[in-house]
Amino acid sequence: MLIGVPKEIKIHESRVGLTPAAVRELAANGHRVMVQKLAGAQIDLSDDKYQMAGAMMVDTPQEIYAKAELIVKVKEPQPSEIPWLREEQMLFTYLHLAPDPLQTKGLMESGCIAIAYETVTDHFGGLPLLAPMSEVAGRMAIQAGAHALELDQGGRGMLLGGVSGVPAARVVVIGGGVVGTNAARIAMGVEAHVTVLDKSIHRLQQLDSQYGSKINTVFSTVDALEEHVSTADLVIGAVLVPGGAAPKLVSRELVSRMNRGAVLVDVAIDQGGCFATSRPTTLADPIFIQDGVVHYCVSNMPGAVARTSTFALNNATLPFVLALANKGCRNALLDDPHLRNGLNVYRGRITYEAVAQALGLSCTPALEALAPV
């Protein structure tokens, strides 16, 4: 199979879909890989390294989209890229379609087969291709939040861990999944006062058992959210509805009651955000202030540490890329229900229920879409 890796063009996005090691693995399995020149240059993955691994280097993304049977990316195709997609071409990347009707419409009209990293599942009920970036984003959320708390960023002028005789900052993490756990872990590491809210008693018990007195676990209700968010110095939004839009758990009214200079970091912004006041920002201009509260809502946070993120992502995606290349699209999707859960758009039809519901569109079950005509 001919596999294409275009250079990412989303603002401040330096990750790349395949590393040279992944290219070599695909070549060893008899596949050809086209990589756009300078695709990995910013993270020290030079064109020479790709060529040594067996890749064909090409000048333009148009050549990749015109020839490749499978496109492997990191971020969703940007408006300028969508017209290059063609019927029955496979696209394997993060899509986050629920809050993005324009991208969804473009993918449907292209006739391509779009498989989303964020909805592929595993035997343990997890999201293995989302987890590495969730781990990165969770850890970065505290780093970003600590910076935003500084006075010259509009924050309260607080050090997360405090110092002798001065209380630590109050960090509230909404959601105890991969993002939330990693955020809490880093916040505890700098000796902040950490509270995690979640609706799963089992998950709260796990966190309590793992971290003991270093963490406060609270069952999430409207009352609990209001009580803890209103007095927090830093709030991390780490909720997830797989493939669907994030619920708006923090209202505008609640934001207006927070302390001046408190910070909200919305890691769920890719799925629409979990704070009513959130709007997507970029790594170039990451924060804005609403009602005296600093908002950090970068939609590709792991892109700030692109080298770490690229290698972590490739470790997770490569087995699925190999399956698609070795078996072909239809057989790979039929053979593996977990990869099939990643199918979001198939030749003009939405095949993921949460996306269809979020956008008010009809859904064709994946197995039905894949059935012989």
Side-chain angles (χ1 to χ4, degrees):
M1 182 175 286
L2 181 56
I3 301 158
V5 183
K7 188 178 188 298
E8 298 293 328
I9 62 171
K10 188 166 185 172
I11 186 168
H12 283 250
E13 182 54 76
S14 301
R15 289 174 288 180
V16 62
L18 293 175
T19 62
V23 169
R24 186 177 180 188
E25 195 73 17
L26 287 160
N29 278 263
H31 305 292
R32 296 173 296 152
V33 183
M34 303 169 66
V35 178
Q36 187 179 346
K37 290 180 180 177
L38 302 180
Q42 288 189 282
I43 55 173
D44 195 31
L45 298 179
S46 66
D47 292 351
D48 287 345
K49 290 178 181 177
Y50 279 105
Q51 286 179 310
M52 289 175 64
M56 300 175 284
M57 306 307 296
V58 300
D59 292 313
T60 67
Q62 290 94 322
E63 187 175 352
I64 289 173
Y65 283 93
K67 296 180 179 179
E69 299 164 79
L70 168 61
I71 301 290
V72 180
K73 290 179 87 283
V74 177
K75 291 305 292 179
E76 72 279 358
Q78 300 302 290
S80 63
E81 296 175 294
I82 289 177
W84 299 334
L85 290 164
R86 64 180 196 275
E87 192 168 347
E88 296 193 26
Q89 187 174 51
M90 286 180 282
L91 172 66
F92 195 30
T93 188
Y94 288 115
L95 291 174
H96 300 293
L97 294 179
D100 195 344
L102 290 179
Q103 184 200 168
T104 305
K105 182 175 183 286
L107 294 180
M108 292 174 72
E109 290 177 348
S110 75
C112 78
I113 299 164
I115 305 167
Y117 290 163
E118 71 270 13
T119 62
V120 173
T121 56
D122 62 20
H123 296 286
F124 309 103
L127 301 169
L129 308 191
L130 189 62
M133 297 304 94
S134 295
E135 187 174 353
V136 171
R139 296 181 181 209
M140 280 196 66
I142 299 301
Q143 184 175 305
H147 182 55
L149 270 172
E150 294 174 12
L151 204 60
D152 64 354
Q153 301 298 309
R156 303 196 74 196
M158 295 185 71
L159 186 66
L160 279 185
V163 291
S164 300
V166 181
R170 288 159 295 186
V171 176
V172 173
V173 181
I174 305 174
V178 178
V179 170
T181 299
N182 278 275
R185 178 179 171 186
I186 299 304
M188 284 183 281
V190 296
E191 300 183 354
H193 180 278
V194 181
T195 299
V196 175
L197 293 95
D198 199 284
K199 283 191 171 294
S200 168
I201 288 292
H202 177 64
R203 184 62 192 137
L204 294 176
Q205 288 170 338
Q206 289 178 317
L207 290 168
D208 199 55
S209 175
Q210 185 172 0
Y211 296 112
S213 60
K214 293 181 180 179
I215 195 171
N216 303 289
T217 56
V218 177
F219 183 74
S220 184
T221 62
V222 173
D223 278 351
L225 276 167
E226 289 184 354
E227 177 186 346
H228 291 279
V229 169
S230 63
T231 58
D233 300 303
L234 170 60
V235 180
I236 309 296
V239 298
L240 173 69
V241 176
K248 302 293 185 189
L249 297 179
V250 177
S251 67
R252 287 181 179 274
E253 190 274 333
L254 181 52
V255 171
S256 71
R257 286 197 276 129
M258 294 178 70
N259 292 316
R260 188 218 64 79
V263 174
L264 297 174
V265 177
D266 198 341
V267 187
I269 194 66
D270 270 331
Q271 298 293 115
C274 61
F275 308 135
T277 48
S278 292
R279 55 177 169 80
T281 61
T282 67
L283 289 166
D285 188 16
I287 65 173
F288 64 91
I289 298 175
Q290 173 90 33
D291 294 331
V293 175
V294 182
H295 292 62
Y296 182 101
C297 305
V298 173
S299 58
N300 61 329
M301 287 176 64
V305 287
R307 184 175 173 88
T308 296
S309 298
T310 292
F311 282 94
L313 182 59
N314 268 246
N315 290 342
T317 58
L318 182 57
F320 295 99
V321 175
L322 280 167
L324 288 167
N326 289 342
K327 298 180 180 181
C329 177
R330 187 169 176 275
N331 287 338
L333 291 169
L334 288 173
D335 286 353
D336 185 351
H338 300 294
L339 179 59
R340 191 165 64 243
N341 285 336
L343 185 63
N344 278 213
V345 181
Y346 186 82
R347 299 173 67 180
R349 291 176 284 181
I350 299 294
T351 54
Y352 198 81
E353 182 65 36
V355 170
Q357 286 182 355
L359 297 174
L361 299 171
S362 60
C363 179
T364 301
L367 281 175
E368 182 180 326
L370 292 164
V373 178

